[in-house]
Amino acid sequence: MSPSVHGGRAKCLQRLVRLDMPVPTTVALSFDAVRDIARGQMPDMDELIAPFGGAPLLSVRPSSQDPDWGGPSAILNIGMNDERHAALCAEIGEEAATAIYLRFIQSYAVQVARLDPEPFYLPDTPTLESVRVMLDAFEYETDEVFPQDPVQQLGEVLRSMARAWDGTTARLLRQAKGAPIDAGLGLVVQRIALGVGQGTSGSGVIQFVDEVTGERRIKGRYLSQSQGREALSAAKGALYLVQDGRGPSVEEELPELFAELVRFGELVRVRLREEMQIEFTIENGKLHILDGVRVQRSNRASVRIAVALAEDGIIPTDEAVMRVDPAVLSELLHRQVAPMTERDRIVRGIAASPGAAVGRIVFSANDAQASAARSEPCILVRRETTPEDIRGMHAANAVLTVRGGITSHAAVIGRGLGLPCVVGASDLVIDKKRRVMIAPDGREFAEGEVITVDGSSGDVLAGTATLEEPALDNAFQTLLKWADEYRDIGVRANADTPADAQTARNFLAQGIGLCRTEHMFFEGDRLGVMREMIFAHTSEDRRAVLERLLPMQRGDFIELFEIMQGKPVCIRLFDPPLHEFLPADKSGHRELAEQLSLPLSEVNARVEALSEYNPMLGMRGVRLGLTYPEIYDMQARAIFEATVEASRSGDPVVPEIMIPLVSAMREVELVKSRIDAVAGHVRAETGTNFTYRYGVMVETPRAALRAEDIVQYAAFLSFGTNDLTQMTYGLSRDDAGRFMSSYVNAHVYAEDPFHTLDIEGVGELLKIGAERGRLGRRDVVLSICGEHGGSRSAIDFCRRQGFDYVSCSPFRVPSARLSAAQLAISDSRKNSMR
């Protein structure tokens, strides 16, 4: 019997039987058999019912391949009719027998006949009169007498459950949980062990692990005179399983049965190699095991359970690594909205950076900083963010934007900071004059009102939601330690500040794969100095202003190098267009004119002169470095002086200097000659020798196509997949979110290419660039440093192309390490089977 043929529940029951556990007689119907039933082709019912003997009471439960895919509700007590009811009255008493009959009539009427549940409510006290009333209600609603033939009852139950699985709603729900379109359903038919009647009788469930924390402890409930899972929902009368000060327990009142349950639990954990929840029934003092299902668990518990099973020698460490979804780790690093919290949703956008935060609405970076100064948590709400908002993002607890996609500015910075972020909430309206945001349903939320941003789901909630704290325990660290033993590709972090670098170090990144230096210029007073440089008229004037930035950059790099302790640090030189450092509105222009003591007309003229029709394809990156070479000169000097200083007190530093937005070999050659010259000057001035590596960020299709030429001057190629995707598709990553869902739904694109690396198109350019790069330099180091670097599909692609490492946001490093390990383990298993 296989889960892919009969389903997981059927396979588990088969294993319980083989372990000599007291499982009632059970027959499993395969996926194919259930499909036939849905088409009207019933099995041989006499043959199906024969193993159960005469006049059996039966249950039918669903058995899908994966329990998370769901299925129709179980139906108990099939076979109850007037004759069997009379017999049971004599055997176990009228009240108990009547309760069983009523439960069956109710479930049959509602779940099989699809009748309105209102006429079929269960009375507090079961009586013969209530049976007659319910049978009359069934006949009134259907114009048919309630079926008395057990074979007919069973056939109708099987047909109903088979057809329910194929219903549109059920199909969409399970596909949302990852089930394939053709996922099958098995059905398990089992003899009922009565939990009602004479002697000690009842039902319950037991598990041996806490589903929230993953810690080993016995949990569950038992209810005398009950069936199925009634004990879990009983308002009163249920017993705890272990001794509990809140009330009586099975351990105290039924010690022998409790000991037997514990023995079965340990046996199942070891032999089934999983934490299971066992459903049991006690029938007149005899224990029956009805079902065993995998314990539903929180993300935190899934990690701890996998590690505990491996540490106890039940599963090997590679299997523990394979059992945890890498996405789980990203969530564990952040606070999350508690699962049972009521969600008063304001709007839903794109879940751009995981985690959740509560705070008061603010509409500007300055207000966010002011709120942080008052120690008041805030949520920065913007139409879209710009580099000028970075200070506000640092101060905010979360970010919400109306525009943007998964690789928009807010999303990228949010992930780098570990800041919850929802972008592309296009149904939200911001009224800047009235300082309110307007929800799709018309509700208005004014500045200062409290909201919750859930960056894991994309929800923005009204008010204060209950949050759970991050879960970075020993099990988390142990799992990643094992993962590192199996993975075969390096994992670095994108880190722009010393704080980012410390986070990367804490998550055991193997270095920094991308340090975007321009983000340093938005800190503190540096923005004002940058603006002075922009308004300088000559190269000499710009160089004089940049001299004031030099010690600040040098200090940043020293701190980066010291934090990383000799690990590689790849520094991308200045990239964005200069207009991003200037205010965009009139009030900002007036303020800037006052700061620089310039006429407003001159400020307006300079801003206009720097404006471009398409700045992302204009004077930025290496083009800016060649036009204003003093900028790159200053940055190179800061890097080399920091190298000398940091190497005096720690491991020798070998910085990696990366040139952005390259499209021609000559660009690389010209910049390299200036950087080499700066390196020579610093060596002469300090009397210290040092080495550095020089490379290129491949973000344009032409750079990928001309990689063989470019590597004549570059020791490494790092593919910036954000911009490379943007340029390959001709899509703006900030605007694509407005129509991307329509494209994906229409199957124009399989996935959002800014979220999932396009292997066929962008991947082809990466492959070409890698192959041609190796033709020009056999030992060229290859990597990707775009946001795709943390995704499983991109890691898999890079491994297969022989890349040396991937680089991603610091908070995605743990999941990238786990994904890389799982891919290596999968390949190893496939190879061993050949």
Side-chain angles (χ1 to χ4, degrees):
M1 187 174 291
S2 166
S4 62
V5 176
H6 290 87
R9 171 174 269 128
K11 178 62 180 178
C12 181
L13 283 167
Q14 181 191 48
R15 298 188 68 182
L16 297 184
V17 170
R18 288 176 175 173
L19 292 174
D20 292 326
M21 294 174 68
V23 178
T25 303
T26 304
V27 174
L29 297 176
S30 70
F31 295 169
D32 287 341
V34 175
R35 289 190 185 101
D36 288 343
I37 292 171
R39 299 187 193 105
Q41 302 172 23
M42 299 300 293
D44 185 325
M45 296 301 295
D46 291 334
E47 182 180 345
L48 175 60
I49 211 167
F52 300 103
L57 289 185
L58 305 174
S59 67
V60 179
R61 290 184 173 86
S63 180
S64 55
Q65 184 169 345
D66 186 324
D68 292 337
W69 297 349
S73 299
I75 297 181
L76 310 182
N77 304 317
I78 302 163
M80 277 299 297
N81 53 23
D82 293 346
E83 181 181 349
R84 187 64 194 274
H85 174 242
L88 278 180
C89 285
E91 184 179 335
I92 64 174
E94 181 180 296
E95 183 173 331
T98 302
I100 293 173
Y101 199 7
L102 287 171
R103 288 191 193 109
F104 177 57
I105 298 171
Q106 180 197 50
S107 60
Y108 190 94
V110 175
Q111 295 173 234
V112 179
R114 309 294 176 189
L115 302 180
D116 188 326
E118 186 174 349
F120 301 98
Y121 71 92
L122 294 175
D124 293 334
T125 303
T127 63
L128 295 178
E129 176 63 23
S130 59
V131 171
R132 284 192 293 272
V133 168
M134 202 175 280
L135 290 174
D136 289 344
F138 183 91
E139 185 172 352
Y140 177 80
E141 296 289 340
T142 64
D143 292 329
E144 295 178 0
V145 176
F146 187 82
Q148 296 292 305
D149 180 5
V151 174
Q152 180 188 352
Q153 293 174 359
L154 178 59
E156 291 301 319
V157 168
L158 295 176
R159 183 181 292 110
S160 172
M161 294 178 75
R163 290 176 176 173
W165 178 258
D166 286 333
T168 301
T169 301
R171 187 170 61 252
L172 292 175
L173 284 173
R174 66 176 176 265
Q175 286 178 21
K177 296 178 180 178
I181 294 176
D182 61 348
L185 175 73
L187 292 175
V188 171
V189 184
Q190 186 178 79
R191 184 184 71 78
I192 283 285
L194 288 177
V196 295
Q198 299 174 344
T200 300
S201 297
S203 65
V205 294
I206 185 171
Q207 63 190 52
F208 302 87
V209 69
D210 189 294
E211 70 275 13
V212 176
T213 66
E215 295 176 351
R216 291 279 293 162
R217 73 185 185 96
I218 296 175
K219 289 187 65 177
R221 301 286 289 278
Y222 168 77
L223 182 64
S224 179
Q225 301 297 316
S226 70
Q227 289 186 299
R229 304 173 70 86
E230 291 180 44
L232 295 180
S233 57
K236 58 182 179 178
L239 301 183
Y240 297 100
L241 292 177
V242 295
Q243 294 185 31
D244 193 303
R246 293 172 293 176
S249 70
V250 174
E251 183 178 14
E252 295 166 299
E253 300 197 0
L254 303 169
E256 293 182 1
L257 287 171
F258 177 78
E260 197 171 6
L261 281 171
V262 171
R263 182 175 67 82
F264 286 150
E266 285 299 319
L267 181 63
V268 166
R269 181 175 187 256
V270 172
R271 299 296 293 274
L272 270 61
R273 308 189 321 144
E274 182 56 278
E275 290 290 358
M276 306 292 289
Q277 183 184 84
I278 295 174
E279 184 176 335
F280 64 92
T281 292
I282 299 174
E283 183 180 28
N284 197 18
K286 183 179 179 181
L287 178 65
H288 300 273
I289 303 300
L290 306 185
D291 202 6
V293 296
R294 178 179 178 272
V295 171
Q296 294 295 308
R297 61 202 65 180
S298 70
N299 291 336
R300 176 184 307 191
S302 69
V303 174
R304 181 170 285 179
I305 289 170
V307 170
L309 289 171
E311 288 181 332
D312 290 347
I314 295 172
I315 62 175
T317 57
D318 64 334
E319 187 168 336
V321 169
M322 294 297 289
R323 285 194 179 191
V324 177
D325 182 351
V328 164
L329 299 191
S330 293
E331 292 190 11
L332 295 182
L333 302 176
H334 308 277
R335 301 170 84 192
Q336 300 290 331
V337 174
M340 303 307 292
T341 298
E342 285 193 27
R343 290 177 173 253
D344 181 5
R345 184 185 297 134
I346 299 171
V347 70
R348 170 169 283 178
I350 298 170
S353 181
V358 176
R360 298 185 182 278
I361 297 170
V362 297
F363 292 106
S364 72
N366 287 339
D367 289 337
Q369 290 179 282
S371 183
R374 297 191 300 269
S375 298
E376 292 181 355
C378 67
I379 308 294
L380 178 61
V381 181
R382 303 283 285 164
R383 285 199 177 95
E384 60 184 327
T385 60
T386 67
E388 193 173 356
D389 290 314
I390 288 178
R391 291 174 295 168
M393 294 177 73
H394 274 282
N397 283 39
V399 176
L400 167 63
T401 68
V402 175
R403 299 180 61 196
I406 199 70
T407 57
S408 63
H409 178 268
V412 172
I413 301 304
R415 287 191 292 272
L417 297 176
L419 190 70
C421 181
V422 172
V423 302
S426 54
D427 293 332
L428 198 66
V429 175
I430 296 178
D431 187 332
K432 293 180 68 175
K433 290 185 178 180
R434 294 172 54 219
R435 302 187 76 79
V436 299
M437 69 178 199
I438 305 170
D441 62 7
R443 286 186 292 172
E444 294 187 354
F445 295 84
E447 184 175 45
E449 288 194 52
V450 175
I451 61 173
T452 300
V453 169
D454 185 351
S456 299
S457 69
D459 283 348
V460 181
L461 310 175
T464 302
T466 303
L467 303 184
E468 292 182 340
E469 294 302 315
L472 304 183
D473 53 19
N474 290 335
F476 181 94
Q477 304 295 350
T478 298
L479 183 75
L480 286 177
K481 176 186 174 186
W482 291 339
D484 288 340
E485 295 172 0
Y486 293 104
R487 66 182 169 88
D488 53 9
I489 189 171
V491 177
R492 296 194 196 180
N494 301 340
D496 303 334
T497 64
D500 293 341
Q502 187 59 60
T503 301
R505 183 80 192 188
N506 294 344
F507 293 149
L508 301 185
Q510 293 174 287
I512 294 176
L514 173 62
C515 173
R516 292 163 285 212
T517 53
E518 61 271 8
H519 291 162
M520 299 174 177
F521 295 141
F522 289 96
E523 295 289 327
D525 297 331
R526 303 181 192 191
L527 182 58
V529 180
M530 274 298 296
R531 289 171 170 174
E532 284 187 50
M533 190 275 294
I534 292 170
F535 277 82
H537 293 289
T538 67
S539 176
E540 289 74 18
D541 291 342
R542 283 192 292 274
R543 190 171 285 110
V545 176
L546 289 166
E547 283 292 325
R548 291 158 55 196
L549 281 174
L550 174 63
M552 302 177 192
Q553 281 255 285
R554 181 174 60 233
D556 287 332
F557 293 139
I558 289 172
E559 197 170 350
L560 279 178
F561 294 152
E562 289 177 343
I563 289 170
M564 297 313 294
Q565 298 176 10
K567 293 185 181 297
V569 177
C570 184
I571 300 168
R572 183 184 75 182
L573 298 186
F574 194 88
D575 177 54
L578 293 178
H579 81 274
E580 290 193 359
F581 294 87
L582 301 177
D585 53 17
K586 292 180 180 179
S587 62
H589 293 172
R590 290 194 298 271
E591 186 178 338
L592 181 57
E594 183 179 343
Q595 290 173 353
L596 300 178
S597 299
L598 293 173
L600 180 60
S601 59
E602 186 174 337
V603 170
N604 290 336
R606 183 61 172 151
V607 171
E608 186 176 348
L610 287 173
S611 65
E612 298 176 285
Y613 286 111
N614 194 337
M616 299 316 292
L617 297 178
M619 194 169 77
R620 54 169 282 222
V622 69
R623 302 157 195 168
L624 187 64
L626 289 174
T627 307
Y628 298 129
E630 52 276 5
I631 297 177
Y632 281 6
D633 289 350
M634 180 277 290
Q635 290 194 299
R637 175 172 284 274
I639 292 169
F640 295 141
E641 290 179 354
T643 298
V644 172
E645 183 64 29
S647 296
R648 286 174 179 157
S649 56
D651 295 333
V653 174
V654 181
E656 300 173 354
I657 298 177
M658 184 161 66
I659 312 302
L661 211 70
V662 163
S663 59
M665 178 183 70
R666 182 61 175 161
E667 292 171 323
V668 186
E669 181 184 8
L670 289 172
V671 174
K672 185 175 188 302
S673 65
R674 294 191 68 98
I675 289 177
D676 286 343
V678 174
H681 288 309
V682 174
R683 288 189 185 105
E685 292 166 7
T686 62
T688 303
N689 194 23
F690 56 84
T691 59
Y692 72 96
R693 303 178 71 245
Y694 178 79
V696 164
M697 190 171 184
V698 180
E699 303 167 88
T700 67
R702 193 178 194 277
L705 296 172
R706 303 305 301 170
E708 184 176 357
D709 297 334
I710 287 172
V711 295
Q712 305 306 312
Y713 298 98
F716 64 87
L717 300 177
S718 188
F719 292 83
T721 54
N722 296 352
D723 268 353
L724 188 57
T725 298
Q726 189 169 230
M727 294 188 186
T728 302
Y729 274 84
L731 283 175
S732 165
R733 66 188 187 194
D734 293 309
D735 297 315
R738 298 161 70 181
F739 60 84
M740 188 56 67
S741 60
S742 299
Y743 259 55
V744 173
N745 290 337
H747 305 292
V748 178
Y749 304 147
E751 297 285 350
D752 181 344
F754 294 110
H755 186 265
T756 302
L757 181 65
D758 167 30
I759 302 298
E760 295 177 349
V762 179
E764 187 68 15
L765 280 172
L766 266 66
K767 184 178 179 181
I768 291 170
E771 290 173 350
R772 295 183 180 178
R774 290 191 184 105
L775 287 176
R777 183 189 290 260
R778 188 181 305 172
D779 62 347
V780 65
V781 173
L782 301 170
S783 67
I784 65 172
C785 59
E787 274 304 296
H788 295 106
S791 70
R792 187 183 186 89
S793 60
I795 294 170
D796 188 30
F797 175 82
C798 290
R799 289 180 61 252
R800 299 189 186 286
Q801 299 305 317
F803 279 40
D804 295 276
Y805 67 87
V806 298
S807 189
C808 55
S809 299
F811 283 90
R812 297 187 76 184
V813 166
S815 62
R817 290 163 60 194
L818 183 58
S819 290
Q822 290 179 348
L823 290 164
I825 292 169
S826 294
D827 283 354
S828 176
R829 290 177 176 179
K830 290 175 185 176
N831 292 334
S832 66
M833 294 174 64
R834 290 175 183 169

